[in-house]
Each structure stands twice: as C-alpha cells, then as structure tokens.
Amino acid sequence: MSEEFARLTIGDTTYKLPIIEASTGERAVDIRNLLKETGLITLDSGYMNTGACTSSITYLDGKEGILNYRGYRIEDLAENCSFTEVAYLILHGDLPTFEALKSFRQDMRRFALLHEDMIHFFDSYPPNASPMSILSTTVNALHNYYPEMNESEDPYGGYTVTAARLLAKTRTIAAFSYKKSIGHPLVYPSPRMNYCENFLNMMFDRPNLPYKIIPEAVSALNKLLILHADHEQNCSTSTVRLVGSSGANLYASISSGVSALWGPLHGGANQAVIEMLENIYADNKDFEKYISKAKDKNDPYRLTGFGHRVYKTFDPRAKIIKNACDDIFEILDINDPLLDIAKELEERVSNDQYFIERNLYPNVDFYSGIIYRAIGIPTNMFPVMFALGRLPGWIAQWTEMKEDRTRIGRPRQLYIGHPQREFIAIKDRG
Ligand code: SDX
C-alpha cells in the first residue's frame, strides 16, 4: 500500500483517499470508504474508470498492447503451449509439470461425456437454434447432474475437478449442438485425443466420411483458444463474478457469462465481423460505403472488430491471429477472399483520421473468424469458440472472487425520476 493520498475537497472539508498500487505500478484511488466518509457515491456508467476488484490472473497494458496470463507473455504462451496447458496455468497460477498436465488431461477425458439424459436437451431446440443459447442453457443445467461442487469449501480442491468437468463437457455441448443443427449423428469424445483434436473430431467426423485430423488446424485452434482464455474484467467476466458473488453456483455463473459474451459488442463480434466482410465483398467491395457509415454520427453502424475499451493500440491477440491466418492459409493452400477484404479494410482504416484519432485498431475478433472458417467451423459457432476459450478465465476469476470472500456486488445509482408524490386513486384520475 503506498503512503500517497488523493485529496477530495467537498465544501469546506478535504478528504484523504488512499492511493493503492498494483504489482505492475498502476495506481488507483481507493474509494471503498467514500460513502461512509463523505455521504457521496461516484457515478461511472459502463465502468469506464472503475476497478471492480484486485486480481492476479491477467495483466493488460492498453497503451503498450501487453497481455500477460499469470505473468507470462501471451506471445510466448501462444507460440509454445497447448490450450490445456494454458487453462491449467490460468486456473492454478503456474504452468503445469509434465505429470500435472497429464493428470489434468486425464480428468478432462474422464469428464468429457454428458449424462445421457442431457442428450435429449438437444432434441428440444429447433435446428436453427443459436449455439450460444444452447450453450448457456445446457451449462446451467449441468448443476442438476453434478451438484456436488457446492459442498466443497476448498476453492481448488473442489473446483479443480469441477473446472476439468466444465472444460470437458462444455466442449462436448458445443460439438453436439453443431451436429444436432445439421442433423448428423453425435460423435462422442475420444479417450485418445487431446482437447483440440477431440473437438475437431466431434465436430467433423462422420460415419460415412471419417475426419482426418490436420495438425495445422489443431495448432491454429490451440492458439485461438489460448488467445481468448482470459482478459481481466471484461463484460462477461464481470458478469460471472457478479452472479457468483450472490452465492450462485459456478455453472449458473458461467451460464450468465455465456449470455453476456453473446452480444455483438463483445464475443458476438467475431461472427459479426465475417458478416460485415461478406457484405463488403458482396457489395462490390465498396469499402468506403461501410467506412463512411461507421463514421456517420447519425448511423449506429460500426466497423465490428475494431476498437477496444482498454487497448488504444493494436490488440496483441489480433497481431498473433493475423499472422496465424497467413500461416494456415499457406499450409492448407486456402484462398479465402474475406482475408484479402479484411486486410484491405484494416489498411484503409489505419490511414483514416477518424479511426486514428479514436485509437481504433483491430481487436481479437477481427481476424479470428477467418481462421475458424479455414478450419471449417460455421459462422454461428464463432461466439461459442470464444466461450470455449474464455472458460478457464471465467472459472479462475470466479474462484478468485470466492477466495477473496468478495461481498455481493451491488452498484449504486443516481435517481433522476419523479420526486415523491401523492397517490391518486384511479377513480379520481380522470
Ligand atoms: C471483445 O473488454 C474486453 O476485454 C473485451 C474482449 C475480451 O477479450 O473479453 O477484448 C473481447 O469484446 C472485443 C471487442 C469486440 N467488439 C467489437 O468489435 C464491436 C465494435 N467495437 C465497438 O463497438 C467498441 O469499440 C467497443 C464496444 C469494443 C468499445 O466501446 P467503448 O470503449 O465504449 O468505446 P466507445 O463506444 O465510447 O467509442 C469511442 C469512440 C466513439 O466515437 P465518438 O463518440 O468519440 O465520436 O470511437 C467510436 C465511437 O463511435 N468507435 C467506433 C468503433 N468503436 C468505437 N466507430 C466505428 N467503428 C467502431 N468499431
């Protein structure tokens, strides 16, 4: 705790507010006693300036474009690890030993099946049901089949198993929802495959057309999931923490995170990016039409995949994904016109004063859909891929909130409605 204070003068009184320092040197004004000392609250809609918690999981530097998980650079993790290894790091705080990773993988294999009764859930959705809707409801329903995690007090003793269970079963739910949507038989998880191979096999294997695992696709998927694994207090993670702070179980909290992620301003952006690129391509590549719409104050249209609340420079994840696009296209000898459209749009935006002045750069969602397409994942599954990647982060953040014995989240407000007024019975209201 630094000895520095902020001084807040209200009327004739000056209050001293402690300034606390993060391990990375960032500082914050601690207003936890503001209401008690001054009788005033702060107002910060959208939490643009408000820290909701302390955390030791992820560090972002929006100016420098830095993203670290538990102190490790995202670039090093994306280049050298599997998603399971990074999930373990985020959940446990350190990279796993060979034995720990083997045991974590075994847990994930052990828990990969869904209770057979849950298979009927998928029959009750229409074929065009949103995979995010299916994911959110089915994850929530897991609690009815695996309630035991509520009895465990030890955040890691009990939740380690639950984390492995959630990671494994959520991947199965995602793949089953896709198979059901195309009317194909479900492909069950294999005990001989790691996380990403298993997912791709469950998605694309068919009795009449066996799926051939493509190492480059597995590697690209590992990289994408790693890049989505956590991102401090974004909208969906804050939702998971807030719901969990009421004492709601982990499955219900994660289910709410899936719902928050679904929005096109958040995890739904990767799907919206592809739809935007397809529109530009279909509209004779009329880039300027879409760029002008995005700049028009009277038009709600935005260039999805650009801009970020924290990054005011290139999102480090977007850089890695853009390079991965080139790699996988070259290796798989793919030619997707949308990649050329994306690169030209990025080029035009990077030279446009409107975007330069507002520090609007490609974010994690801008190029990710291009790779998902190259792997064969349908566009409406892109937000689900984001959720699969973000799951270890949500679980770790929820567990940290529990460990910190965080009080129930309950923001305040400024009331701007009617002053108190006399009630008039309906017979006298005219
Ligand atoms: C994710 O928080 C996270 O960490 C999220 C995430 C994660 O890993 O969890 O990184 C994942 O959600 C990435 C973001 C995906 N969303 C999109 O790509 C949707 C398009 N982007 C925007 O809607 C917007 O940039 C947000 C939502 C990402 C950020 O919104 P902010 O911080 O509230 O910024 P803002 O809306 O106040 O914009 C500031 C200015 C405004 O113009 P002025 O009023 O100052 O004139 O920039 C403009 C905005 O109109 N602007 C855009 C724009 N984004 C912002 N103009 C055109 N196109 C855009 N994409």
Side-chain angles (χ1 to χ4, degrees):
M1 174 84 88
S2 75
E3 284 307 307
E4 221 185 328
F5 291 91
R7 284 172 173 70
L8 175 65
T9 300
I10 303 170
D12 301 334
T13 313
T14 297
Y15 301 89
K16 285 170 64 174
L17 300 173
I19 289 185
I20 49 181
E21 199 162 311
S23 49
T24 48
E26 284 175 310
R27 300 183 308 155
V29 178
D30 184 347
I31 58 167
R32 282 175 286 190
N33 291 320
L34 184 72
L35 179 61
K36 197 167 61 185
E37 287 179 16
T38 70
L40 299 184
I41 62 167
T42 58
L43 181 64
D44 185 22
S45 57
Y47 309 114
M48 306 280 282
N49 309 282
T50 297
C53 61
T54 58
S55 177
S56 56
I57 299 169
T58 291
Y59 171 66
L60 304 189
D61 180 320
K63 285 198 203 72
E64 301 303 321
I66 293 171
L67 170 57
N68 296 344
Y69 294 154
R70 300 286 192 183
Y72 292 98
R73 293 174 65 246
I74 188 70
E75 293 81 0
D76 294 336
L77 296 173
E79 198 51 43
N80 301 294
C81 295
S82 68
F83 172 61
T84 306
E85 211 173 334
V86 171
Y88 184 99
L89 166 69
I90 286 177
L91 287 163
H92 293 271
D94 289 306
L95 285 166
T97 60
F98 181 81
E99 281 310 312
L101 183 59
K102 197 169 140 219
S103 152
F104 190 51
R105 281 199 162 118
Q106 277 161 354
D107 279 346
M108 297 246 272
R109 287 180 183 148
R110 184 152 55 103
F111 297 126
L113 286 178
L114 288 183
H115 190 294
E116 276 298 304
D117 289 356
M118 293 190 82
I119 308 296
H120 304 301
F121 279 48
F122 298 94
D123 298 330
S124 59
Y125 293 104
N128 62 347
S130 156
M132 283 297 264
S133 162
I134 295 172
L135 185 64
S136 175
T137 46
T138 313
V139 163
N140 200 320
L142 285 173
H143 171 67
N144 302 310
Y145 293 86
Y146 310 98
E148 64 281 4
M149 56 81 66
N150 278 347
E151 284 119 44
S152 86
E153 281 309 310
D154 162 14
Y156 277 108
Y159 301 135
T160 301
V161 166
T162 305
R165 174 181 288 123
L166 253 177
L167 285 162
K169 291 188 191 308
T170 311
R171 174 194 57 192
T172 304
I173 293 167
F176 281 9
S177 68
Y178 171 63
K179 282 297 198 189
K180 273 292 177 181
S181 73
I182 58 174
H184 282 193
L186 301 180
V187 174
Y188 278 61
S190 157
R192 284 174 296 285
M193 294 183 185
N194 287 338
Y195 185 96
C196 286
E197 292 162 346
N198 234 328
F199 175 73
L200 293 172
N201 191 59
M202 287 195 278
M203 284 282 287
F204 303 123
D205 192 43
R206 299 178 182 183
N208 62 329
L209 195 64
Y211 175 66
K212 182 174 171 301
I213 299 283
I214 305 171
E216 293 78 10
V218 172
S219 161
L221 183 56
N222 263 304
K223 197 168 275 188
L224 279 170
L225 295 176
I226 288 169
L227 294 170
H228 286 81
D230 192 52
H231 213 241
E232 61 146 81
Q233 305 311 314
N234 56 83
C235 176
S236 53
T237 299
S238 302
T239 303
V240 169
R241 278 180 170 258
L242 191 61
V243 170
S245 73
S246 75
N249 68 70
L250 179 59
Y251 301 112
S253 305
I254 297 295
S255 167
S256 58
V258 174
S259 302
L261 188 71
W262 193 355
L265 293 184
H266 192 14
N270 54 17
Q271 177 176 352
V273 165
I274 294 298
E275 290 156 1
M276 171 183 72
L277 296 175
E278 284 172 336
N279 290 340
I280 294 173
Y281 184 62
D283 209 344
N284 296 318
K285 303 183 188 177
D286 188 350
F287 290 95
E288 289 317 312
K289 171 181 165 188
Y290 292 86
I291 290 173
S292 309
K293 273 174 68 67
K295 289 158 61 174
D296 180 354
K297 276 272 144 270
N298 302 316
D299 190 329
Y301 181 80
R302 287 191 162 174
L303 286 187
T304 193
F306 287 90
H308 198 276
R309 174 62 56 80
V310 177
Y311 292 123
K312 298 311 168 191
T313 181
F314 223 104
D315 184 328
R317 301 167 295 177
K319 267 187 203 159
I320 297 170
I321 295 172
K322 182 180 176 184
N323 295 335
C325 282
D326 292 331
D327 298 345
I328 193 162
F329 276 43
E330 190 188 327
I331 292 162
L332 299 185
D333 192 23
I334 297 171
N335 175 21
D336 181 350
L338 294 193
L339 179 56
D340 301 329
I341 297 282
K343 287 183 174 177
E344 178 160 352
L345 182 61
E346 180 201 332
E347 175 65 22
R348 289 170 180 252
V349 164
S350 66
N351 293 306
D352 185 304
Q353 272 312 314
Y354 170 94
F355 295 91
I356 295 169
E357 282 159 13
R358 292 167 178 81
N359 298 310
L360 302 176
Y361 293 83
N363 58 46
V364 68
D365 293 303
F366 187 60
Y367 285 105
S368 52
I370 303 273
I371 294 188
Y372 289 137
R373 270 163 65 93
I375 295 175
I377 292 168
T379 307
N380 70 342
M381 284 280 291
F382 291 2
V384 169
M385 300 311 295
F386 195 138
L388 293 184
R390 187 51 52 88
L391 192 54
W394 283 337
I395 299 170
Q397 298 268 355
W398 187 90
T399 307
E400 188 176 65
M401 177 274 300
K402 286 283 183 191
E403 279 183 334
D404 294 349
R405 300 200 180 284
T406 306
R407 302 166 78 169
I408 184 169
R410 202 264 183 232
R412 303 297 301 271
Q413 63 161 31
L414 269 189
Y415 175 69
I416 55 171
H418 281 285
Q420 187 163 304
R421 50 183 166 165
E422 195 191 331
F423 175 74
I424 300 162
I426 189 154
K427 63 182 176 53
D428 303 325
R429 272 179 233 154

